[in-house]
């Protein structure tokens, strides 16, 4: 039976019902087994793992969809981390290890990667996993130019000489290929008929430790343990992801036992939680970063002096305190000091006078800026208020919009903004983010930045196999990107997660991948 029964009793449950989004939605019954009780939040039996206990996890918003190749939303990947596998995956130290591929070879000229697949792997519907599934998945991303397609820019072909082998041929040495294939579930191996039927958006089928059995839009997603998982059946019966955007609500639910885990934690509560015997707290450095991007397709933001003026006008320390209560680390570049790729940079001190001087040089005496934040990420709303006051001090009036994240993505992708604030997650290799966001041809370059010098550096970084030389290349590129204010970097957030003391063997990871396959409940 479910370990935590979600009933409409008590004040916390009432608040939960409101926080889960207005109105809820219709249940998508994946396998025909979901009943009305489960749809309403009552108990249901778990899967065939080591226990029938179902872990209740509260995440800050609803996935935009469940096709890993088409989504770029963190809420989506919190769920899909537990449904899908990649060829390789990062361990707790963020080093790439075997997953669906148990080993690989690299040719002497570094142009041919041969992956040897794990025997006996099946999809959650019982069908066998073979090399054809890898070829289909990767070619789908490439041919349809889907979200992670830029990671395959050097790939010339993906072939399957037999059922157990995948050969990837690249046009140039690609030192970050393993990171590209395994750093997040956007490179997941999918099932072709699940895609062609259209079911993948709400009922995905992977090879991972849990299968999706129910999706109630606006309320929750239920996963059931996969007893045939190649890594061993999970020790719990399943996971139920409920959507709670308000941190105080999520924390109250955790303390009362309504949920077992959440990453929707008020940062101002961290000091208190460290001494709370009813909560296990996980806080550590992350490779993520928050940034501002100004739309360079619009005037006056296409003038580097105006972008630099905004960078000088912003009080990062105030933003940091208001959004993270001291748990994050201010950083004017993407990469945190804990990374081997870190580059020191501190050009943009808080200097309103310098900002006014740059605006005057650009001929801008006043301006109005459309700021795109989102209600699904409270940090953006909080920071926007501070930024608006900062910019008003230098003659820029800011109008703030806070749509839901799905709308935010549409507005970003169509260029309907002057400035936006967002984070980038799961950064392991510099190419994972610099190229996509700052190369002229980058797939996530919504701000429209283009600098031939940076393009050349980022192209060189993709092929340089000497690590020291590669680090120098990215240090040069990172510095130039910041000088040009392609992004105005704000800070590296901490990983902040909390869970029940009864939850055993959960690890809060630096890449924020939410893995529940190895956890159990204390008896």
């Amino acid at each position: 039976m479910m370990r935590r029964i979600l009933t409409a009793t008590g004040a916390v449950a009432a608040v939960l019902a409101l926080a889960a989004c207005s109105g809820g939605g219709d249940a998508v019954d994946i396998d025909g087994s979901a009943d009305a009780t489960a749809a309403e939040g009552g108990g249901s039996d778990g899967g065939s793992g080591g226990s029938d206990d179902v872990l209740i996890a509260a995440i800050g918003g609803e996935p935009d969809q469940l096709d890993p190749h088409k989504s770029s939303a963190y809420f989506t990947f919190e769920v899909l981390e537990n449904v899908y596998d990649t060829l390789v995956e990062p361990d707790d130290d963020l080093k790439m290890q075997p997953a669906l591929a148990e080993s690989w070879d690299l040719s002497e000229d570094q142009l041919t990667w041969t992956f040897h697949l794990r025997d006996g792997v099946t999809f959650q519907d019982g069908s066998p996993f073979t090399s054809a599934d890898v070829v289909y998945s990767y070619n789908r991303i490439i041919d349809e130019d889907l979200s992670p397609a830029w990671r395959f820019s050097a790939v010339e072909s993906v072939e399957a000489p037999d059922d157990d082998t995948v050969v990837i041929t690249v046009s140039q040495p690609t030192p970050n290929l393993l990171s590209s294939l395994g750093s997040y579930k956007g490179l997941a191996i999918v099932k072709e008929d699940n895609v062609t039927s259209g079911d993948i958006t709400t009922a995905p089928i992977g090879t991972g430790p849990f299968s999706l059995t129910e999706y109630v839009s606006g309320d929750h997603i239920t996963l059931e343990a996969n007893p045939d998982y190649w890594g061993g059946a999970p020790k719990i019966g399943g996971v139920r992801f409920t959507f709670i955007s308000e941190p105080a609500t999520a924390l109250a639910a955790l303390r009362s036992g309504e949920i077992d885990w959440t990453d929707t934690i008020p940062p101002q509560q961290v000091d208190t939680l460290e001494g709370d015997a009813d909560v296990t707290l996980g806080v550590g450095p992350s490779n993520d970063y928050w940034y501002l991007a100004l739309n360079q397709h619009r005037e006056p933001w296409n003038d580097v002096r105006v972008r630099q003026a905004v960078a000088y006008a912003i009080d990062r320390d105030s933003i940091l305190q208001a959004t993270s209560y001291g748990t994050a680390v201010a950083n004017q570049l993407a990469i945190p000091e804990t990374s081997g790729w870190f580059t020191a940079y501190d050009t943009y001190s808080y200097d309103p006078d310098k900002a006014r001087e740059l605006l005057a040089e650009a001929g801008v005496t006043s301006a109005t800026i459309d700021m795109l934040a989102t209600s699904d990420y409270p940090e953006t709303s909080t920071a926007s208020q501070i930024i608006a006051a900062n910019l008003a001090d230098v003659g820029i009036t800011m109008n703030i919009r806070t749509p839901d994240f799905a709308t935010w993505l549409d507005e970003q992708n169509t260029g309907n903004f002057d400035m936006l604030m967002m984070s980038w997650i799961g950064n392991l290799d510099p190419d994972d983010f610099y190229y996509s966001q700052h190369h002229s041809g980058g797939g996530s370059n919504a701000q429209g930045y283009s600098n031939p010098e940076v393009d050349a550096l980022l192209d060189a970084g993709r092929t340089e196999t000497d690590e020291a030389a590669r680090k120098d290349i990215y240090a040069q590129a990172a510095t130039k990107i910041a000088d040009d204010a392609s992004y105005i970097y704000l800070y590296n957030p901490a990983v902040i997660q909390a869970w029940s003391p009864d939850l055993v063997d959960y690890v809060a990871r630096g890449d924020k991948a939410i893995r529940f396959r190895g956890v159990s409940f204390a008896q």
Side-chain angles (χ1 to χ4, degrees):
M1 83 184 91
M2 185 172 287
R3 187 170 187 281
R4 296 287 185 265
I5 304 300
L6 296 183
T7 58
T9 59
V12 171
V15 177
L16 276 172
L18 292 173
C21 291
S22 61
D26 294 331
V28 177
D29 187 353
I30 306 303
D31 59 6
S33 63
D35 58 18
T37 303
E40 292 171 3
S44 63
D45 287 343
S48 301
S51 166
D52 286 339
D53 289 342
V54 173
L55 185 154
I56 310 300
I59 58 178
E62 182 172 2
D64 62 336
Q65 61 160 306
L66 296 176
D67 183 340
H69 298 166
K70 291 187 175 182
S71 180
S72 58
Y74 178 57
F75 302 138
T76 296
F77 289 109
E78 287 190 277
V79 175
L80 296 187
E81 180 69 32
N82 299 278
V83 175
Y84 282 108
D85 290 315
T86 45
L87 277 191
V88 296
E89 65 177 13
D91 60 17
D92 291 347
D93 295 322
L94 307 185
K95 304 296 185 183
M96 287 299 158
Q97 302 296 336
L100 290 177
E102 61 182 359
S103 64
W104 52 89
D105 306 310
L106 179 59
S107 63
E108 188 173 345
D109 63 4
Q110 301 196 49
L111 299 179
T112 303
W113 295 74
T114 302
F115 293 89
H116 308 284
L117 304 185
R118 195 176 297 276
D119 290 334
V121 177
T122 60
F123 283 95
Q124 291 144 359
D125 64 356
S127 59
F129 157 75
T130 72
S131 56
D133 299 303
V134 180
V135 173
Y136 170 76
S137 297
Y138 291 171
N139 283 338
R140 178 194 184 217
I141 294 170
I142 295 168
D143 294 344
E144 297 182 28
D145 194 26
L146 301 180
S147 293
W150 60 273
R151 294 176 182 267
F152 289 106
S153 61
V155 172
E156 291 193 332
S157 65
V158 183
E159 299 174 312
D162 57 56
D163 284 350
D164 302 317
T165 309
V166 173
V167 177
I168 298 179
T169 303
V170 293
S171 59
Q172 58 195 21
T174 310
N176 65 312
L177 183 67
L178 293 180
S179 175
S180 292
L181 297 180
S183 61
Y184 84 120
K185 291 301 185 286
L187 276 294
I189 306 306
V190 302
K191 196 170 184 291
E192 183 173 3
D193 60 7
N194 189 226
V195 174
T196 56
S197 69
D199 291 339
I200 191 170
T201 60
T202 56
I205 297 173
T207 61
F210 297 92
S211 59
L212 193 147
T213 57
E214 184 189 41
Y215 185 178
V216 180
S217 180
D219 193 77
H220 69 270
I221 291 174
T222 302
L223 309 183
E224 183 176 280
N226 176 7
D228 300 317
Y229 181 54
W230 57 265
K235 298 175 183 178
I236 56 174
V239 181
R240 178 167 170 155
F241 288 94
T242 186
F243 316 135
I244 304 177
S245 61
E246 175 54 51
T249 304
L251 182 56
L254 179 64
R255 282 176 162 148
S256 70
E258 296 280 349
I259 64 173
D260 301 303
W261 177 96
T262 187
D263 61 351
T264 309
I265 299 293
Q268 64 268 37
Q269 293 288 329
V270 167
D271 288 344
T272 302
L273 289 173
E274 286 178 341
D276 191 334
D278 294 327
V279 172
T280 299
L281 184 68
V283 179
S286 85
N287 287 356
D288 302 351
Y289 53 86
W290 284 90
Y291 62 89
L292 299 172
L294 286 154
N295 191 343
Q296 296 175 41
H297 295 297
R298 295 182 175 183
E299 295 182 347
W301 322 117
N302 58 344
D303 189 319
V304 65
R305 294 168 297 183
V306 176
R307 298 195 303 274
Q308 290 169 339
V310 173
Y312 279 111
I314 290 170
D315 184 355
R316 283 178 180 77
D317 289 339
S318 294
I319 294 171
L320 195 68
Q321 184 61 31
T323 57
S324 77
Y325 291 83
T327 61
V329 178
N331 190 359
Q332 295 187 30
L333 292 186
I335 303 174
E337 194 167 356
T338 54
S339 169
W341 300 99
F342 174 74
T343 299
Y345 185 94
D346 61 356
T347 296
Y348 297 114
S349 58
Y350 175 47
D351 191 342
D353 289 337
K354 179 68 172 177
R356 295 186 194 97
E357 178 185 326
L358 287 164
L359 289 171
E361 287 180 13
V364 176
T365 56
S366 65
T368 299
I369 190 167
D370 169 52
M371 173 66 172
L372 184 60
T374 170
S375 57
D376 285 340
Y377 288 92
E379 298 94 330
T380 64
S381 299
T382 301
S384 293
Q385 300 300 323
I386 297 169
I387 294 167
N390 291 158
L391 295 185
D393 190 37
V394 299
I396 299 175
T397 300
M398 192 164 88
N399 298 321
I400 305 169
R401 290 187 289 137
T402 55
D404 60 55
F405 187 59
T407 304
W408 186 99
L409 283 172
D410 288 340
E411 297 288 80
Q412 175 199 239
N413 293 338
T414 57
N416 187 25
F417 67 94
D418 287 332
M419 183 164 69
L420 56 79
M421 177 178 173
M422 192 41 62
S423 65
W424 191 264
I425 65 172
N427 311 304
L428 303 185
D429 185 278
D431 185 65
D432 293 347
F433 47 96
Y434 280 136
Y435 190 97
S436 178
Q437 295 182 318
H438 305 290
H439 192 282
S440 297
S444 297
N445 187 355
Q447 74 277 20
Y449 176 66
S450 181
N451 182 319
E453 180 183 348
V454 171
D455 286 352
L457 287 166
L458 296 181
D459 288 335
R462 293 193 132 189
T463 61
E464 179 57 65
T465 58
D466 180 87
E467 187 169 335
R470 195 164 181 253
K471 181 175 180 179
D472 181 64
I473 287 170
Y474 282 113
Q476 293 180 58
T479 299
K480 186 61 178 172
I481 288 165
D483 286 346
D484 290 345
S486 173
Y487 276 5
I488 299 171
Y489 294 101
L490 301 173
Y491 59 88
N492 299 113
V495 176
I496 307 175
Q497 300 171 5
W499 55 93
S500 165
D502 292 339
L503 188 62
V504 179
D505 293 331
Y506 177 76
V507 176
R509 299 166 50 87
D511 62 355
K512 297 176 70 175
I514 310 303
R515 292 184 186 170
F516 291 129
R517 67 196 187 202
V519 306
S520 61
F521 286 110
Q523 299 302 313

